[in-house]
Amino acid sequence: MSAMSIGKRFLLVTAAALVAAAPAWAQRQSLADRVSALEAKANNSQANMDLLNRLSQQEGEIRELRAQLEKLQHDLQEQQQRNRDQYLDLDGRLNRMEGGGIPPVTAPAGTPALPATPPSAATKVVEPAPSVHGDPGSLAQAGDERTAYNQAFDKLKSGDYVGSAQLFTAFLQAYPSGVYAPNALYWLGESYYVTQNYALAAEQFRALMDRYPTHDKAPGSLLKLGLCEYGLGKVDAAERTLADVVNRYPGSDVARTADDRLKAIQLGRLR
């Protein structure tokens, strides 16, 4: 056998071997692809499970937040009710206070005294007219002032605090130095206070204190100024003002009311 024949036979055997091995290699490659595909599906399933777990956790957190919100709303309603009860209690005390007089405050001559709190529609308040000395023209002017003042005060008694604020404002513009001006300032402040416009209310009470420091509305104005400051969240200022009420008017009902409120604020700080 020649060398060329041997070489040809070797090549044919090698080619046959390669042809026989090809299906096995292809089979191994196909198996590896299938394994990779299965692993990819498994990974996707794990990712889906992680996503579902996160969604479940977030749903639980949302339920918890809703429960907290409902509790806060309930607490807010209770706090608003307590604030209304405290306001009515303070109004009652101030009503009794000015019903019996407040020593040792001296009011300007001819200035009438009013209850310190807005009466309900069912409460009848009788307010005497102030004494006005002078010529008939002054008396007639005082009569016009009294009419305008009564209109505003009637709104207050009826519980229309927005209307009373408008009329008392108009009254003060028409009679800035009238005999009823101090009272109008006080009741304008009350009209704002009842509707929780504490900033505007504080302006009126502060103006009354500055312009009429010896008026019989001054103690109640200083007390209400402190309560307005508290309503505005100025707790430190409210404490100072209420302490000032206690120091200025010792032994009076307004001082006892201020002291009670001051102690309540201080107690609240400790909780």
Side-chain angles (χ1 to χ4, degrees):
M1 183 179 295
S2 65
M4 183 176 292
S5 297
I6 294 172
K8 289 181 178 181
R9 291 182 65 185
F10 176 76
L11 290 174
L12 291 173
V13 171
T14 302
L18 290 175
V19 171
W25 175 84
Q27 185 177 4
R28 287 196 298 272
Q29 182 66 31
S30 176
L31 181 60
D33 292 342
R34 292 172 64 190
V35 170
S36 298
L38 289 174
E39 289 177 348
K41 290 182 179 179
N43 291 335
N44 289 336
S45 297
Q46 184 62 41
N48 291 336
M49 289 298 298
D50 292 341
L51 179 60
L52 289 175
N53 290 336
R54 286 198 297 270
L55 288 175
S56 298
Q57 181 181 358
Q58 290 176 354
E59 288 176 353
E61 291 174 353
I62 291 173
R63 285 193 296 269
E64 183 177 352
L65 289 174
R66 284 177 178 172
Q68 292 177 0
L69 178 60
E70 291 176 358
K71 183 178 184 303
L72 288 174
Q73 290 174 336
H74 177 71
D75 292 344
L76 176 61
Q77 291 174 352
E78 288 188 344
Q79 182 62 44
Q80 289 174 337
Q81 183 60 46
R82 284 195 296 270
N83 289 342
R84 286 192 291 268
D85 294 341
Q86 289 173 354
Y87 175 76
L88 292 175
D89 179 65
L90 287 172
D91 280 351
R93 292 186 183 187
L94 286 172
N95 213 12
R96 293 191 298 272
M97 172 191 71
E98 291 205 354
I102 306 175
V105 181
T106 303
T111 303
L114 292 176
T117 55
S120 65
T123 304
K124 183 178 181 180
V125 179
V126 179
E127 182 187 16
S131 299
V132 181
H133 303 282
D135 56 28
S138 298
L139 294 175
Q141 182 178 1
D144 295 337
E145 179 185 342
R146 173 70 181 187
T147 299
Y149 181 85
N150 280 343
Q151 291 176 349
F153 196 67
D154 287 341
K155 284 285 186 182
L156 183 77
K157 289 191 295 182
S158 69
D160 183 0
Y161 302 117
V162 174
S164 66
Q166 294 172 345
L167 290 179
F168 278 123
T169 299
F171 174 88
L172 288 168
Q173 291 173 348
Y175 306 99
S177 301
V179 292
Y180 283 99
N183 300 76
L185 272 173
Y186 182 86
W187 292 116
L188 178 57
E190 279 285 359
S191 299
Y192 287 135
Y193 181 83
V194 174
T195 55
Q196 298 183 354
N197 289 317
Y198 298 122
L200 290 175
E203 290 180 10
Q204 316 313 316
F205 295 130
R206 190 176 291 110
L208 194 154
M209 291 294 301
D210 292 341
R211 293 170 56 186
Y212 309 100
T214 59
H215 192 271
D216 61 353
K217 293 295 184 193
S221 292
L222 190 59
L223 172 64
K224 284 299 177 70
L225 176 59
L227 297 180
C228 287
E229 290 170 338
Y230 184 76
L232 290 170
K234 301 177 180 178
V235 180
D236 292 339
E239 288 183 329
R240 289 193 297 268
T241 302
L242 294 173
D244 193 17
V245 175
V246 176
N247 293 331
R248 285 197 193 190
Y249 312 106
S252 66
D253 285 342
V254 71
R256 284 188 287 272
T257 301
D259 187 54
D260 289 343
R261 191 60 179 145
L262 183 60
K263 289 177 180 177
I265 294 174
Q266 293 170 344
L267 181 62
R269 285 182 178 272
L270 298 177
R271 293 178 179 176

